[in-house]
Amino acid sequence: MFFVQTPFVSAQQRNAQSPVDFQLDGLVNDLETINVPYAPPSLKTAYYAAEALYQGENYRGAQEAFLRIIDSFSNPQTKQYLVGTYHRLAQLKSSEYTFADAKNIVQTHKPDVIQALYYVEMGLGLQPNHIDLLYLKATLEYNHGRPQKAATTLQLLCTLDPHSFTFHHFTAIALSQSLKGSDGTNHAKALLTFCDTWETHLGNTEKLQQFRQMAIDHLQIQDINARKNNPTAQQPVLSTTNKYRKFLALSFEMNRFQEAHMWADSLESVAPIFSAHNLVNAFSHAYNNQWELAQAETTNSQVETDPFILNQYLRISARIASHQAQQHPNFGNPKLPETEAALNLWIDLHQREGLSPNDLPLAISIADQAHSVQYLTRWKQMAQDLKTPSIQK
């Protein structure tokens, strides 16, 4: 979703007849003479006039102009040419912008996602494979807590444009968000299957490997939890490397850094990992409020390619960035660059694998300061879920 701001418009300008109105007068004559598969001149002119308002950032005027086009041209002869109009209306309905009302009082247009999706569906009813409309639909679905629906829409986009990295990456993110739902196992399998498709079209990239490992890890964890509830079942055997990853992560969560160094040493002996000890030092320094030393230990992260290690570096970087933001004298400003930088790191970590219990207080604090309602609500719910006994869930 994008957020835009419109310049103020005087009452005299608003009360003047729009260029669109002049063009709608000749609609009847246009339709009587039309006999070719093209949009009539009056529709084209009306659209260009509305588009000019949009490009001029007069979003309120543009919305009214596009709505007049829908009212005047939604008939069998011209309805097929309204796809672009529906697209613009969906964008405008999903946007936040300011405008001056008839009394020249500044008002704020709030996003209306339901109405935006309505216009998206109207446009897709005319052109089901319209890429811009599908991408807007996926964005609206994802940004408003419907990652499963977004993943379905995005997979269609990947089919329409199999060589788009953006579509594949966004699809994997949406599928990874679905792992947190009640049907996480099936979504993890779907993510693995999608990774195979991604590799076929774009090769086995580092980003792809991270999502594949995320799905594999999720399935292993689900299997372990299932077997815990059935003591007689044979326990799964993790690979040696994954055992060391698991134990290192647990050491970080429990702040057992001497033990973490042991697992870091073991991990470096069996996998192409080169800076696990630096990672342990960074977490240890951060735990002891030695933030500059912690940041110095993260400089070796550039040599790593292992998804688990990279995610741990992302975790410590988010903690360091949060500390820097909180120490800033203007921390009360929600638009503080340091606050936004920290929030983006937490969002990135959340989208890759989910936050750990120790991460949540910092992530919530930063989201609250940045007035990021979407992630603040989501992370508070995660924190509440951790406090709720499993028997009550």
Side-chain angles (χ1 to χ4, degrees), residues 169 173 176-177 179-180 191 206-207 210-211 214-215 307 310-311 314 346-354:
H169 186 209
I173 291 174
S176 68
Q177 289 300 303
L179 299 181
K180 301 176 179 64
L191 178 56
E206 178 182 337
K207 185 65 67 175
Q210 292 174 356
F211 283 109
M214 184 188 304
L310 290 173
N311 280 337
L314 179 59
W346 288 124
I347 291 174
D348 191 5
L349 181 63
H350 174 67
Q351 291 174 341
R352 291 190 186 200
E353 64 171 1

Side-chain angles (χ1 to χ4, degrees), residues 31-105:
L31 295 181
E32 290 176 351
T33 58
I34 188 170
N35 194 27
V36 291
Y38 304 110
S42 59
L43 173 52
K44 291 181 180 179
T45 306
Y47 180 87
Y48 294 149
E51 182 68 13
L53 293 173
Y54 180 86
Q55 295 299 331
E57 298 186 359
N58 182 354
Y59 298 112
R60 182 68 169 184
Q63 179 173 296
E64 293 172 351
F66 283 120
L67 284 171
R68 285 195 294 272
I69 293 174
I70 295 297
D71 290 340
S72 301
F73 293 94
S74 293
N75 54 71
Q77 294 92 336
T78 56
K79 186 176 181 180
Q80 59 183 311
Y81 307 115
L82 298 180
V83 176
T85 300
Y86 283 125
H87 182 225
R88 278 289 186 244
L89 282 171
Q91 289 178 307
L92 288 163
K93 284 294 184 181
S94 64
S95 303
E96 180 176 310
Y97 58 84
T98 59
F99 63 96
D101 63 16
K103 296 181 180 180
N104 213 29
I105 298 174

Side-chain angles (χ1 to χ4, degrees), residues 68-329:
R68 285 195 294 272
I69 293 174
I70 295 297
D71 290 340
S72 301
F73 293 94
S74 293
N75 54 71
Q77 294 92 336
T78 56
K79 186 176 181 180
Q80 59 183 311
Y81 307 115
L82 298 180
V83 176
T85 300
Y86 283 125
H87 182 225
R88 278 289 186 244
L89 282 171
Q91 289 178 307
L92 288 163
K93 284 294 184 181
S94 64
S95 303
E96 180 176 310
Y97 58 84
T98 59
F99 63 96
D101 63 16
K103 296 181 180 180
N104 213 29
I105 298 174
V106 177
Q107 303 285 349
T108 299
H109 175 272
K110 294 296 184 181
D112 186 340
V113 178
I114 295 177
Q115 190 68 27
L117 285 171
Y118 166 78
Y119 286 123
V120 166
E121 294 298 340
M122 291 296 290
L124 290 175
L126 300 174
Q127 290 188 23
N129 292 335
H130 192 283
I131 287 183
D132 290 338
L133 280 170
L134 287 170
Y135 190 72
L136 177 57
K137 179 183 179 183
T139 303
L140 291 171
E141 290 169 336
Y142 181 83
N143 287 342
H144 293 84
R146 304 176 186 175
Q148 297 175 25
K149 287 183 175 292
T152 300
T153 304
L154 287 160
Q155 284 178 302
L156 173 57
L157 281 167
C158 290
T159 302
L160 296 173
D161 187 357
H163 301 295
S164 169
F165 172 81
T166 299
F167 293 161
H168 284 80
H169 186 209
F170 195 2
T171 304
I173 291 174
L175 286 170
S176 68
Q177 289 300 303
S178 301
L179 299 181
K180 301 176 179 64
S182 58
D183 198 18
T185 298
N186 287 332
H187 289 303
K189 293 177 181 178
L191 178 56
L192 274 178
T193 301
F194 176 74
C195 285
D196 294 338
T197 302
W198 186 351
E199 181 175 358
T200 299
H201 293 146
L202 297 171
N204 190 15
T205 63
E206 178 182 337
K207 185 65 67 175
L208 167 60
Q209 294 173 17
Q210 292 174 356
F211 283 109
R212 180 174 278 145
Q213 187 62 53
M214 184 188 304
I216 292 172
D217 290 346
H218 184 87
L219 289 172
Q220 287 184 335
I221 292 172
Q222 292 297 314
D223 194 25
I224 291 173
N225 291 337
R227 291 173 184 273
K228 282 182 179 178
N229 296 327
N230 184 8
T232 61
Q234 182 180 358
Q235 294 300 312
V237 178
L238 293 175
S239 68
T240 300
T241 305
N242 282 340
K243 280 183 181 178
Y244 295 157
R245 289 191 182 102
K246 176 183 176 182
F247 293 144
L248 179 59
L250 288 173
S251 298
F252 287 153
E253 287 300 298
M254 301 177 72
N255 301 313
R256 295 178 178 175
F257 302 113
Q258 184 175 356
E259 178 182 306
H261 275 296
M262 178 185 71
W263 296 120
D265 190 58
S266 299
L267 196 54
E268 289 185 351
S269 69
V270 298
I273 295 171
F274 311 99
S275 63
H277 288 286
N278 297 106
L279 192 57
V280 176
N281 290 334
F283 275 93
S284 177
H285 290 318
Y287 180 71
N288 291 296
N289 291 317
Q290 298 172 312
W291 297 99
E292 292 183 2
L293 293 176
Q295 188 167 23
E297 293 287 352
T298 65
T299 57
N300 290 325
S301 63
Q302 298 177 356
V303 304
E304 299 293 353
T305 59
D306 183 84
F308 168 79
I309 293 296
L310 290 173
N311 280 337
Q312 298 306 315
Y313 270 116
L314 179 59
R315 173 170 282 112
I316 190 62
S317 296
R319 294 185 183 184
I320 294 170
S322 298
H323 172 77
Q324 292 172 339
Q326 291 171 342
Q327 296 302 306
H328 197 282

